[in-house]
């Protein structure tokens, strides 16, 4: 995890440094495998995820059902893949929402400057002290438990950190000479945003996005766990963990498999984000 | 002092915004509190709505609510007839506050020493093993750790009751779950911040002038390194609140977290508002307390404002 500083030579490209970070690389491959399995689940799952077979309900893992079956006789592996698809989907879309809002807000704040900027950032500070789970729970109840609303609600509260980081970076860029040069050459603000800000922010955005996904997935799982998120017969990892926790005495396998996959996915995302940051952000040299 | 006053005054508009936002959100919840399986006669429903002031336009209701709130009155509960929201929350808040404080204590008592230990021997097994665990702690949500702890210690070993409330032993599982989850980021933060501080000039100066190593470590370095850790306690408390929603349902703890979730499911508008306000103000105060603690630790922070 801690590569010696001398090794990371300035002449190396970020990708070369990233490739040497074995934890991050393995995490990347793991995530690709999980994502592929989940998104291909309609074709590769051994059983339809909602197919009930009461004759073989609550069976421990066996060769017919690798991860066992739940109380309604549904195949756990198939449900795990379908649930993963939902969880990853929420993670990706909500992160995209957070990304767009965060970038717009951060860049806008840095661009207007002065008192307005202070007020905008103070607002972010204050909102981030509030319990965001509360807001997400309230809005899923208000706007119904449909998927697009969950994306929006979760993404809508996850942009705060992003806005803060983007604003700090943009402020630095704004004062830099090449941006001043572009200004004096008559480049429009939009042109500066597109040609100078965005390319320079790309690395930060990538790192931020990777580190936002686990938080977002956690939030979705929280809400689903409380029974306010994804609704049956669909499922998500949070909901499966909840169902497993309810009957863990009789059928521990219902709790173990979604918990393990969920935790491993979050772990990999964190490793990947850390690896990306170490490789592409020169300032985060690990001591 | 003036600073504390300014911060307290700043809270009022924030709380008002929270109240207004929650108010409109809670009233937008589809399905009224009197929609039951067996519909009430129209005139009974009208009387009930009149009694709770639900028949007036929303802004008027909000205005009335804020006036009552300023007098410490959170209104009547809709699902617990005869009880005011204040009484309902009052009967639950002690449990949640105790659970939250014990969890926070566990988190600090585990997180900070682990971080210090790891930073004292960077890249040794003393660093790698605990830091590996904290990474797991960050990725395993409370609703996974809780059932696993219950599975091992309650059902497997039979040392602790799996759920319930009443005696101190019931505290152990929920408080440990919340505490361990919060300890993980605290440990990482402590380690990172100590690593940064110990390479600073003033620490080298202290060492060069012959201060005992342990004194340099604990008095000079740790004091500064704790600043971001103390600041993090505010967000950590917010995390404990979210955690408590799940943990209290999981371990059958009669606290505020469960009250909030039940209020949402029951569409009890007054109770939703009341709990949200209590949570929001508690967190605002905790953040203020964290900032004040920071100023006490670091005169520079105190001077800067």
């Amino acid at each position: 995890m801690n590569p010696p500083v001398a090794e990371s030579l300035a002449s190396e490209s970020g990708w070369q440094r990233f490739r040497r970070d074995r934890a991050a690389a393995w995490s990347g491959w793991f995530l690709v495998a999980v994502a592929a399995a989940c998104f291909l689940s309609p074709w590769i799952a051994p059983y339809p995820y909602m197919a009930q077979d009461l004759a073989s309900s609550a069976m421990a893992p066996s060769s017919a059902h690798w991860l066992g079956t739940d109380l309604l006789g549904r195949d756990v592996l198939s449900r795990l893949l379908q649930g993963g698809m939902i969880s990853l989907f929420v993670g990706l879309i909500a992160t995209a929402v957070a990304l767009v809002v965060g970038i717009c807000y951060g860049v806008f704040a840095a661009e207007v400057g002065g008192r307005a900027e202070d007020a905008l950032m103070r607002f972010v500070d204050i909102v981030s002290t509030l319990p965001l789970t509360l807001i997400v729970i309230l809005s899923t109840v208000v706007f119904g438990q449909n998927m697009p609303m969950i994306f929006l609600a979760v993404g809508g509260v996850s942009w705060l950190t992003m806005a803060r980081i983007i604003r700090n970076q943009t402020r630095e860029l704004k004062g830099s000479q090449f941006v001043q040069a572009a200004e004096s050459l008559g480049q429009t603000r939009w042109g500066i945003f597109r040609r100078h800000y965005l390319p320079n922010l790309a690395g930060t955005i990538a790192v931020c996005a990777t580190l936002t996904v686990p938080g977002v997935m956690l939030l979705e799982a929280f809400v689903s766990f409380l029974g306010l998120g994804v609704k049956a017969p669909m499922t998500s990892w949070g909901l499966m963990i909840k169902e497993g926790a309810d009957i863990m005495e009789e059928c521990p396998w219902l709790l173990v498999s979604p918990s393990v996959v969920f935790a491993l996915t979050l772990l990999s995302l964190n490793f990947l984000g850390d690896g990306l940051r170490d490789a592409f952000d020169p300032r985060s040299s690990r001591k | 002092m003036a600073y504390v006053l300014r911060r307290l005054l700043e809270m009022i508009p924030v709380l008002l915004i929270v109240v207004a936002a929650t108010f409109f959100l809670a009233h937008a919840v589809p399905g009224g509190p009197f929609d039951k399986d067996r519909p009430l006669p129209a005139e009974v429903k009208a009387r009930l709505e009149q009694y709770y002031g639900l028949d007036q336009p929303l802004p008027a209701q909000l205005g009335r609510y804020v006036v009552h709130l300023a007098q410490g009155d959170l209104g009547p509960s809709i699902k617990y007839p005869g009880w005011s929201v204040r009484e309902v929350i009052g009967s639950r808040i002690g449990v949640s506050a105790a659970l939250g404080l014990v969890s926070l204590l566990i988190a600090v008592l585990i997180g900070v020493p682990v971080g210090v230990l790891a930073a004292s021997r960077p890249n040794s097994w003393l660093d790698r093993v605990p830091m590996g665990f904290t990474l797991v702690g960050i990725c395993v949500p409370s609703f996974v750790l809780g059932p696993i702890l219950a599975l091992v210690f309650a059902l497997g070993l039979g040392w602790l009751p799996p759920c319930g409330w009443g005696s101190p032993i019931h505290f152990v599982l929920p408080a440990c779950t919340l505490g361990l989850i919060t300890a993980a980021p605290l440990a990482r933060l402590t380690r990172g911040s100590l690593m940064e501080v110990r390479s600073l000039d003033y620490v080298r100066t202290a060492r060069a002038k012959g201060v005992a190593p342990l004194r340099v470590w604990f008095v000079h370095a740790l004091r500064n390194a704790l600043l971001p850790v103390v600041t993090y306690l505010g967000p950590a408390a917010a995390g404990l609140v979210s955690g408590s929603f799940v943990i209290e349902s999981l371990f059958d703890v009669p606290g505020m977290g469960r009250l909030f979730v039940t209020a949402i499911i029951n569409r009890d508008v007054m109770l939703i508002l009341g709990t949200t306000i209590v949570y929001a103000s508690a967190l605002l105060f905790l953040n203020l307390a964290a900032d004040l603690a920071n100023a006490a630790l670091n005169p520079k922070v105190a001077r800067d404002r």
Side-chain angles (χ1 to χ4, degrees):
Chain A
M1 272 207 67
N2 292 296
V5 179
E7 241 181 75
S8 45
L9 297 167
S11 59
E12 276 187 315
S13 78
W15 278 114
Q16 282 170 315
R17 258 174 288 162
F18 179 69
R19 291 258 288 276
R20 229 191 4 254
D21 189 344
R22 264 183 306 165
W26 277 107
S27 304
W29 286 118
F30 174 76
L31 288 172
V32 169
V34 169
C38 288
F39 285 110
L40 293 176
S41 68
W43 298 280
I44 63 168
Y47 299 86
Y49 72 91
M50 49 202 293
Q52 301 181 7
D53 179 9
L54 293 173
S56 58
S57 85
M59 291 208 307
S62 64
S63 58
H65 299 277
W66 289 357
L67 296 177
T69 60
D70 68 3
L71 287 185
L72 295 172
R74 296 175 295 193
D75 182 54
V76 173
L77 177 61
S78 308
R79 290 183 69 71
L80 196 65
L81 292 176
Q82 195 272 334
M85 187 161 79
I86 300 287
S87 290
L88 290 172
F89 216 59
V90 172
L92 292 177
I93 304 228
T95 303
V97 172
L99 214 64
V100 171
V101 178
I103 292 172
C104 291
Y105 195 94
V107 171
F108 180 74
E111 276 288 307
V112 294
R115 288 199 161 210
E117 182 185 5
D118 289 343
L120 285 172
M121 293 330 284
R122 188 90 193 97
F123 175 74
V124 169
D125 286 346
I126 290 171
V127 174
S128 48
T129 61
L130 301 174
L132 300 177
T133 340
L134 244 145
I135 302 174
V136 174
I137 292 174
L138 273 178
S139 33
T140 52
V141 173
V142 174
F143 301 112
Q145 288 169 238
N146 50 358
M147 293 299 293
M149 273 328 295
I150 297 175
F151 296 151
L152 274 183
V154 173
V157 298
S158 306
W159 56 273
L160 298 159
T161 327
M162 187 97 68
R164 212 177 281 152
I165 296 170
I166 295 288
R167 174 262 191 170
N168 289 342
Q169 290 256 320
T170 312
R171 252 170 77 127
E172 257 173 53
L173 288 173
K174 199 182 168 192
S176 67
Q177 290 188 331
F178 65 89
V179 170
Q180 283 169 2
E183 273 165 13
S184 55
L185 284 171
Q187 184 76 269
T188 57
R189 293 322 304 181
W190 170 246
I192 289 176
F193 173 69
R194 204 168 47 87
R195 315 224 352 216
H196 298 292
Y197 287 170
L198 270 190
N200 277 297
L201 291 173
T204 316
I205 293 172
V207 172
C208 245
T210 323
L211 293 176
T212 306
V213 178
V216 164
M217 289 177 65
L218 211 55
L219 207 53
E220 182 274 327
F222 248 119
V223 176
S224 290
F225 185 95
L226 293 174
L228 299 167
V230 178
K231 276 199 285 200
M234 285 226 279
T235 191
S236 78
W237 286 342
L239 196 58
M240 290 186 76
I241 294 170
K242 155 86 183 146
E243 289 166 357
D246 285 345
I247 45 166
M248 61 183 175
E249 293 167 59
E250 295 84 13
C251 321
W253 62 89
L254 289 183
L255 173 63
V256 172
S257 52
S259 306
V260 168
V261 176
F262 186 62
L264 279 180
T265 304
L266 293 191
L267 199 67
S268 310
L269 280 163
N270 274 310
F271 270 134
L272 189 67
D274 281 347
L276 283 175
R277 189 177 52 206
D278 288 348
F280 288 100
D281 185 356
R283 267 162 305 184
S284 82
S285 57
R286 295 283 194 88
K287 272 155 252 162
Chain B
M1 207 46 226
Y3 173 76
V4 177
L5 213 65
R6 208 187 76 214
R7 286 288 300 264
L8 285 175
L9 283 179
E10 236 180 53
M11 278 183 197
I12 296 175
V14 177
L15 275 179
L16 277 182
I17 294 172
V18 171
V19 171
T22 322
F23 190 85
F24 289 116
L25 271 179
H27 278 274
V29 171
F34 306 117
D35 295 340
K36 297 203 183 99
D37 302 334
R38 204 158 57 93
L40 292 165
E43 55 267 38
V44 175
K45 200 174 159 188
R47 271 303 296 275
L48 274 171
E49 287 187 340
Q50 196 194 347
Y51 173 72
Y52 290 109
L54 292 174
D55 55 342
Q56 287 166 15
L58 270 188
Q61 285 187 42
L62 175 61
R64 214 176 63 148
Y65 186 79
V66 172
V67 171
H68 283 267
L69 180 66
Q71 299 160 354
D73 178 9
L74 291 168
S77 163
I78 292 169
K79 280 283 156 150
Y80 299 82
W83 287 62
S84 74
V85 170
R86 211 172 122 170
E87 286 164 340
V88 177
I89 292 180
S91 67
R92 304 288 197 100
I93 195 168
V95 173
S96 283
L99 183 61
L101 283 179
V102 173
S103 315
L104 206 58
L105 206 67
I106 293 178
V108 173
L109 288 183
I110 294 179
V112 173
V114 167
V116 172
L117 214 66
S120 70
R121 297 274 180 281
N123 293 327
S124 70
W125 62 270
L126 210 57
D127 179 22
R128 297 238 163 123
V129 173
M131 284 303 117
F133 269 110
T134 59
L135 225 113
V136 175
I138 287 175
C139 298
V140 176
S142 48
F143 52 82
V144 173
L145 185 66
I148 290 175
L149 287 183
L151 206 57
V152 174
F153 291 102
L155 303 172
L157 300 170
W159 293 349
L160 297 162
C163 63
W165 196 252
S167 64
I169 195 156
H170 287 117
F171 248 89
V172 180
L173 275 180
C176 281
T177 309
L178 283 172
L180 286 176
I181 293 285
T182 321
L186 274 179
R188 292 184 79 82
L189 208 59
T190 309
R191 175 186 178 273
S193 146
L194 257 179
M195 298 293 285
E196 216 169 296
V197 165
R198 66 183 219 151
S199 62
L200 293 181
D201 285 346
Y202 82 95
V203 174
R204 204 177 45 199
T205 310
R207 212 175 275 146
K209 74 178 188 191
V211 179
L214 272 181
R215 198 177 148 78
V216 173
W217 195 239
F218 283 103
V219 178
H220 295 245
L222 190 60
R223 181 167 166 170
N224 264 329
L226 280 183
L227 290 177
V229 180
V230 171
T231 315
Y232 180 74
L233 288 182
L240 283 179
V241 168
S242 327
S244 74
F245 296 157
V246 165
I247 292 301
E248 288 183 6
S249 325
L250 208 59
F251 291 109
D252 214 9
V253 177
M256 274 229 343
R258 231 177 60 187
L259 188 67
F260 175 73
V261 176
T262 339
I264 292 245
I265 292 167
N266 286 339
R267 308 277 186 264
D268 190 337
V269 177
M270 301 307 262
L271 202 51
I272 295 176
L273 268 168
T275 37
T276 308
I277 291 166
V278 171
Y279 274 132
S281 24
L283 288 175
L284 286 174
F285 273 108
L286 262 167
N287 270 296
L288 176 61
D291 285 354
L292 291 179
N294 242 339
L297 276 171
N298 186 354
K300 205 173 141 214
V301 175
R303 213 175 46 234
D304 280 353
R305 53 186 197 220

